[in-house]
Amino acid sequence: MKLLQRKEHILSAGIDIGTSTTKLILSRFTLVNTAGSTHVPRIEITEKEILYKSSIYRTPLRGETLIDMESVLALVEQEYKKAGVRPQDIQTGAIIITGETATKENAEEMLHHLSDQAGEFLVATAGPDLEGIIAAKGSGAYQRSKDTGKTIANIDIGGGTANIAVFQRGQLQGTCTLHIGGRLIEFNKDKVKNISPPVRELLKQLGVALSVGDPRDSDCIRLVTQAMSRILVHVLQRNVTAEDEVLLLGHLPDWDVPIDQIMFSGGVSECIYAQEFSSINYPDIGVYLAKALQDNPELKSWEWIPPAETVRATVLGAGTQTTHISGATIQVDPARLPLKNLPVYQLRLNGTLNDGAQKVRDAVQQAIQVYDPGLEGRNFALYITEIPSLRFKDVHHLGKWLLDAYRLQPNSDDPIVIVLADDVAKVLGQTLQTLQPERDVICIDQILVEQGDYLDIGNKLKSEVVPVVIKTLAFHS
């Protein structure tokens, strides 16, 4: 087995296609073997250097319902040329589609098309919860909670949504997403040009009349942004009323700890902090919303922490915080990589191999029922946790049980994909390969995932590890 004697560098891209803006960053990761020479190698990302930040572009759309796929791809190609990189140079990273853009008819098609065109292993991600988590990592809220032990809510407000992620001591406590954003009311010069459906519902609830063509300085605008600010307070307090749910997107706030500090990121936060753009005449309510947040006395009951990044928080998180590195003692067939969009099904052994054959068979059968109900051959990753200490014969038994269960799969041409938290991937993977050499095996470890996640596994690096991205693919409507 080769060991990483020197530093290895890989190039990462982050692309954020949001309600209002599209942007890109390029980063270089440094990988180092942090274990001693007499220990099992442990390859870790030790440095992340931002190499290039793109301009910020208005997200190209075709009418109200379609993303202009060709224009988005052209923007990415243009920025790659400016940075002096080619798609084949990109070894990891993520494209995230955020806010109202994720509701467009061709959002999923565009996302997967772009991930195939923009890099060797550039993965497609979507979903408001993941968006909030990535933004919190890009803004600095996650790291600050880790450094200080405080409970910090990062509130990423863009054009169409406010994505909240709460971290305590570096651990995610919960998320929530709201229909709060700058482009929910748009202007054409001094007149109202467009009012989004969630705001129309809010106006009805408030008993306020606002129509297209009304002046942009209407008192109704102030009432809308004040209501948004008030509902945000209730969410942060975990005191959501039935009336507040008019702006709720998805589930209620699901953290159960009081918040110490708040941090704002996203395009609207730029109106609060003015870190990058000093004076822009926004054609929407972004500035009005920022002022309503600043003036809300209840929001001031929390300590406000300035972010490391405002409008670029999500793209920074996508480009620098989504990649994980597997263990170095793994079993993979490089010809089968990269693998993308594998749903994760968890098998808990509960610390014992008693009834192991039945547990394994039940898990594989249930995974097929959930992810391939039509028996069309859709593959999945089996995530095995709570594994007891294994002797050689135990590994042999577990391997045999897995192979017996995987005969239930309709497509035996797909590799068996096993993910482990514990450092046993090499021995289990080699056992599977020996017992059934005609079927390929991908067995990786030192990765923590959850059922319902999606997994992308990249090409094997010189250091014998693989980059892994854990994500969701939830396109909200």
Side-chain angles (χ1 to χ4, degrees):
M1 181 182 65
K2 291 181 281 185
L3 299 182
L4 183 61
Q5 302 295 345
R6 295 186 296 273
K7 294 180 179 179
E8 180 177 3
H9 301 290
I10 60 174
L11 197 62
S12 171
I15 302 172
D16 175 18
I17 304 165
T19 305
S20 300
T21 59
T22 292
K23 51 260 183 202
L24 174 152
I25 71 157
L26 297 171
S27 310
R28 181 169 57 204
F29 297 170
T30 301
L31 274 59
V32 173
N33 180 11
T34 59
S37 59
T38 60
H39 294 79
V40 174
R42 184 173 185 86
I43 312 302
E44 296 183 351
I45 299 171
T46 59
E47 296 176 40
K48 299 175 182 179
E49 178 188 2
I50 306 298
L51 300 178
Y52 180 79
K53 293 182 180 181
S54 77
S55 301
I56 295 177
Y57 298 96
R58 201 76 167 167
T59 297
L61 300 175
R62 288 182 176 173
E64 294 293 321
T65 62
L66 294 173
I67 303 165
D68 188 337
M69 292 171 54
E70 291 76 16
S71 294
V72 170
L73 185 57
L75 286 179
V76 172
E77 290 173 346
Q78 171 186 306
E79 292 300 321
Y80 277 11
K81 286 179 182 175
K82 286 183 182 177
V85 302
R86 304 165 301 167
Q88 56 265 39
D89 298 329
I90 306 296
Q91 293 163 283
T92 189
I95 305 166
I96 184 165
I97 188 162
T98 59
E100 294 294 303
T101 314
T103 69
K104 303 303 180 187
E105 290 177 11
N106 62 340
E108 189 165 3
E109 178 191 359
M110 191 234 50
L111 195 55
H112 293 306
H113 176 70
L114 186 57
S115 72
D116 290 338
Q117 297 293 316
E120 287 290 308
F121 179 59
L122 194 58
V123 310
T125 62
D129 288 345
L130 182 66
E131 181 183 342
I133 293 165
I134 288 175
K137 291 184 175 181
S139 72
Y142 158 78
Q143 188 62 47
R144 182 178 177 86
S145 78
K146 204 172 181 180
D147 293 342
T148 65
K150 300 283 189 181
T151 304
I152 302 177
N154 191 75
I155 306 147
D156 189 77
I157 310 179
T161 57
N163 301 90
I164 305 167
V166 177
F167 281 90
Q168 183 184 65
R169 300 185 184 91
Q171 298 295 315
L172 179 67
Q173 299 298 314
T175 59
C176 189
T177 301
L178 297 164
H179 290 290
I180 294 177
R183 286 188 71 180
L184 296 183
I185 299 177
E186 296 178 282
F187 305 124
N188 181 9
K189 296 181 181 178
D190 293 328
K191 303 291 185 183
V192 173
K193 173 188 171 185
N194 184 54
I195 304 171
S196 70
V199 171
R200 290 183 186 277
E201 291 300 313
L202 178 63
L203 288 165
K204 285 182 192 176
Q205 187 174 285
L206 295 172
V208 172
L210 181 69
S211 304
V212 172
D214 285 354
R216 70 182 289 164
D217 60 356
S218 164
D219 284 342
C220 298
I221 302 293
R222 180 176 52 82
L223 292 174
V224 166
T225 56
Q226 286 176 343
M228 288 178 171
S229 176
R230 182 171 62 252
I231 291 171
L232 175 61
V233 168
H234 293 169
V235 169
L236 294 173
Q237 293 172 336
R238 295 166 295 147
N239 187 28
V240 178
T241 68
E243 290 77 18
D244 296 335
E245 292 185 20
V246 68
L247 294 186
L248 195 66
L249 176 64
H251 61 79
L252 289 162
D254 56 4
W255 55 89
D256 58 5
V257 291
I259 292 165
D260 300 317
Q261 300 171 337
I262 60 176
M263 185 180 289
F264 289 94
S265 62
V268 170
S269 79
E270 185 57 38
C271 301
I272 296 174
Y273 301 109
Q275 286 190 0
E276 187 165 349
F277 310 109
S278 56
S279 60
I280 291 180
N281 186 21
Y282 291 94
D284 54 44
I285 60 167
V287 172
Y288 300 86
L289 177 56
K291 180 164 174 43
L293 297 170
Q294 289 172 308
D295 292 345
N296 187 304
E298 288 186 282
L299 274 176
K300 292 176 182 175
S301 66
W302 289 285
E303 184 182 3
W304 288 38
I305 304 299
E309 289 282 347
T310 54
V311 69
R312 285 191 167 93
T314 302
V315 73
L316 185 67
T320 65
Q321 301 291 334
T322 56
T323 297
H324 304 260
I325 297 296
S326 75
T329 52
I330 58 176
Q331 175 70 25
V332 298
D333 181 351
R336 302 307 296 256
L337 299 176
L339 290 172
K340 293 187 177 183
N341 304 326
L342 289 172
V344 173
Y345 192 89
Q346 186 169 11
L347 162 60
R348 290 186 175 90
L349 291 178
N350 301 318
T352 177
L353 293 185
N354 294 337
D355 301 320
Q358 192 62 49
K359 288 177 185 174
V360 170
R361 187 176 181 85
D362 288 346
V364 171
Q365 192 167 40
Q366 289 163 12
I368 293 169
Q369 289 172 356
V370 171
Y371 299 123
D372 192 18
L375 299 179
E376 298 169 290
R378 294 176 181 167
N379 205 3
F380 59 89
L382 187 66
Y383 179 47
I384 307 177
T385 62
E386 301 172 30
I387 300 173
S389 297
L390 299 177
R391 295 165 296 180
F392 176 77
K393 69 174 185 178
D394 297 327
V395 176
H396 184 87
H397 288 320
L398 180 56
K400 187 175 181 302
W401 298 336
L402 285 165
L403 292 173
D404 287 343
Y406 267 88
R407 291 191 180 96
L408 298 170
Q409 270 194 313
N411 185 7
S412 60
D413 292 333
D414 279 335
I416 293 173
V417 183
I418 306 292
V419 182
L420 309 160
D422 301 304
D423 191 14
V424 292
K426 188 79 170 179
V427 63
L428 180 59
Q430 288 181 338
T431 300
L432 290 168
Q433 201 73 80
T434 300
L435 290 172
Q436 189 169 319
E438 63 272 17
R439 187 160 186 189
D440 293 331
V441 173
I442 306 290
C443 194
I444 63 173
D445 59 25
Q446 296 183 20
I447 297 292
L448 300 177
V449 289
E450 294 181 4
Q451 188 155 310
D453 286 340
Y454 281 75
L455 199 68
D456 287 29
I457 305 171
N459 290 310
K460 198 172 187 181
L461 304 176
K462 294 175 184 177
S463 46
E464 300 287 308
V465 298
V466 291
V468 177
V469 176
I470 302 154
K471 64 190 187 180
T472 65
L473 283 171
F475 288 84
H476 57 258
S477 58

